[in-house]
Amino acid sequence: MLPPDPEMLSFFVQEARGYLPALRQAVERLHDASPLEDGGEEAYRHLHTIRGAASMVGVPDLAELADRCGAALEAIRAGQGDDDNRAILTDGVGMIAEYLDGLDGTPSTAPSDETPSDIAPELREVFALEAEDHLRAITSNLPLLETDPGNKEALQEIRRAAHTLKGAAGMVGFMPITQLTHRMEDLLDRLYEKAEPATPDAIRLLFDSTDALEDLAGGGGDRAVLFTVYRRYDSLMGATSVPAPPVPSAPKPKPGRLRPTGTSVRVPIERLDELVKLVGELVISRTAFEQKVADFQRLVVELEPGTERLRRVSARLERQYEASALTSDRGASFLAPTRNGSHPPLPVHAVHGFDDLEFDRYTEFHLVTRELAETTNDVQVIGGELHHFIGDSESYLTRQARLVGAIEDKLRRLRMLPLATLAGRLHRTVRNAAAGLDKQVELVLEGEQTELDKTVLEAMADPLLHLLRNAVDHGIEPPEQRVARGKPAQGTVRLHAYREGNQIVMRVADDGAGLDANRIRALAVERGLLSAAAAATASDSDLFALLFRPGFSTASTITEISGRGVGLDIVKANVQRLKGSVALSTSPGAGTVCTIRLPMTLAIARALLVTSRQQTFAIPLDAVRQIVRVERTAFDSLGQEPVVRLGERVYPLVSLDRALDLPDTSEEEIERPPVLVLHTGTREVALVVDRLLGGREVVVKSLGSHLRHVPGVAGATFSNDGGVVLILNPAELDRAPAPAMPAAVRLSLSTPAARTALIVDDSPSVRHVLTALLRRSGWQVSTARDGVEALDLLHRAARPPDLVLLDVEMPRMDGYELLASLRGQTNCLDIPVVMITSRAGDKHRAKALALGANAYLVKPYQDAQLLALIDKLTQSARNANEAVPC
């Protein structure tokens, strides 16, 4: 980021200092318990002005500080004048004054909670990894202390981790962490030395301190939050609010001279990805070699009958000649002239005086038969050697497969992280959500040492956090309701992770009220998603599927936690992107369970190769529950749904050629086709194929951005001969419609529930700000980091968005290129597109408008200005669409 312009900064400082007297007067009135003049509106307006101006001139820290003070003042005006809000406002106004004193023509020199820039990057990374371990130890023991406040073992583990973290932070110069852990240690020492158990206030303060430490270790941190935490320490322990500097320790290591102890080494995940890809290529090469050995073995086997036939002919010739030699006319036959008129050699007795029994005479016939016999023997010897060679090759292949498997397993384990890595964030989410809703909720983690691929774990972090918030908000009842229903006042949310075959299963369960199917049914009818008749006959599983639809929510009011219908659809999208499945189940009055199944790794998988209509496909072996051959006469139908009975169960029947709409090859129908019982995530179905080719390891390849969302296809792999084999997604092969509402569900999938917007910007901050702004106005928002990702989202979306907010300068594909692509698609011609950029030049604006942009907005902008522009554009687009005759 460029430094602030000195002239602009000077004007800003003069303007902001003019607001300080009114702000100090408002603070004094708070301490005197006097009512604020005009309800504090003037002070709030000044804070808002400072925030906006600071943002525009390039002083984001001061803008954030003013925003915090404004939020605290707003809470006080709303009647929430507690000590924390008063402390935030009081300290914040003083910090604003100090900040302005340091801004006289130079960038801010105010204290910061960020990591110093004089620390080597590698030192920061090593410390971050160490801090993560210590914070994980604290977060895993704090719930034990909360459950049993007298648990000295848990308290001692927390003390040990905090003490080690303080020392490590002091060594590398992370002073904010050192200071906070120092205060935390004071409280822990007092709790450990006292005989009585820890109080709820003390435990809550430890939780909040740990949250602040996690923010600081991650490079963030909120000064207002830190000041509040320190004041709570003062209130609880009677100490000074200014943290004492840490005790001097050993000198800091100089940048670039870090030497981590131990025998471990840190490797970027990108290098591991490269190794995994190479192992994948090795697997492909091995399978191709296996095919060549199999072909070679087949040729040797085909050679055996020819060798045996040659041996029989040779023996037969030899036997017949010897028999003919004993006949009386043998000599005459040899004296007979040949075809060319010459005569054969004379008999032996005519030349040397020996008869046939006394001397062997070798004719040309003798030589040919002998050569034939020797050739037959040579071929048999070579055949035997080839069999030995094949046996050795198979032995080498088996050894190579074992070694490749071991390498693959060890590489996979290098990428694996335990679920406990997210423990701190998971506990923090449940704790904050429960506090915001005045509920008592305990999070129980089971199987937290279950390991997932790092990519999978990172991708599932946000969905898991949303499911936990959802369980606290929608699942767990308020304490008074739980007590009235005979339940304990404190609810429980369990996250259980375990391994099942080559899959990871995660279950998020609560002991709340459960899902109300009747309420979902009524809302579906009210919003036009289902007809009354279809809703009346819909099963619970069909109704629960509506909860994963964008914009559908059962909440009666909109809160910061839920109510906008945005969340479960994102959970489902993320899970499906990872080739997994998600399903809901409930017990009225007893709670709800959300089950997620994910592959352990996305690189290499076991698959069953099958054929249908002379095309080869791969089906993940984890989804296969049973393989049988069934007479076609056993196929039946239940209403409109084809079924088949296998044993005592009846399964929905899906034909692979019809599910994939494969072309008819006029192939003769198989009387007893193979039937695979597949688990699709929500139910089990019977899949009919033509032939089975066997199981093998496959390297999963992406289909690319343009073919990423082909229905029923999860990826591709290579066959032994180098051809491409599609890997099927069992969850999407279940094309058989539900008995109650096939048409209604298809109708509901095309019915828009809310206005949708797509935000495309490479800045996470801008995406976050715009998303929050639009969601507060009732929009459903999707985001993309650049034009390539935006096109991918558009290709996978059920319908185009109602609005696109687009940046200009982005990696891979910039805004101009994306805008041209959008205007080149028929279904995107009329979408309002607003370009939001810091480029204020006429040339940039003219190019955007020439390419089809509806508006061009320069950063920074006013939120009200943007919202008014959006309303105007979307209303115009709506009017234009309504004017088009049907």
Side-chain angles (χ1 to χ4, degrees), residues 309-319 369 372-373 376:
R309 188 164 56 250
L310 185 63
R311 187 191 63 77
R312 288 198 306 269
V313 170
S314 176
R316 181 181 175 186
L317 284 174
E318 190 172 358
R319 285 196 306 271
T369 56
L372 181 62
T376 302

Side-chain angles (χ1 to χ4, degrees), residues 76 245 304 509 562 622 634 654 759 763 803 873 879:
I76 295 172
E304 289 178 351
S562 65
D622 293 330
V654 179
I759 298 172
S763 169
L803 172 71
L873 293 175
N879 294 338

Side-chain angles (χ1 to χ4, degrees), residues 755-801:
R755 296 184 298 173
T756 58
L758 174 61
I759 298 172
V760 189
D761 199 299
D762 61 335
S763 169
S765 301
V766 172
R767 294 198 303 270
H768 177 76
V769 171
L770 288 175
T771 298
L773 176 64
L774 291 184
R775 283 181 176 171
R776 286 197 298 268
S777 301
W779 286 80
Q780 176 190 324
V781 181
S782 300
T783 62
R785 292 171 292 185
D786 51 42
V788 174
E789 188 171 330
L791 286 179
D792 181 32
L793 288 175
L794 290 172
H795 289 156
R796 292 189 287 108
R799 65 183 183 91

Side-chain angles (χ1 to χ4, degrees), residues 669-691:
E669 202 171 58
I670 302 173
E671 290 298 326
R672 298 184 70 248
V675 175
L676 313 178
V677 178
L678 301 181
H679 182 74
T680 64
T682 57
R683 63 174 182 171
E684 291 184 345
V685 301
L687 181 70
V688 184
V689 299
D690 291 344
R691 291 178 181 82

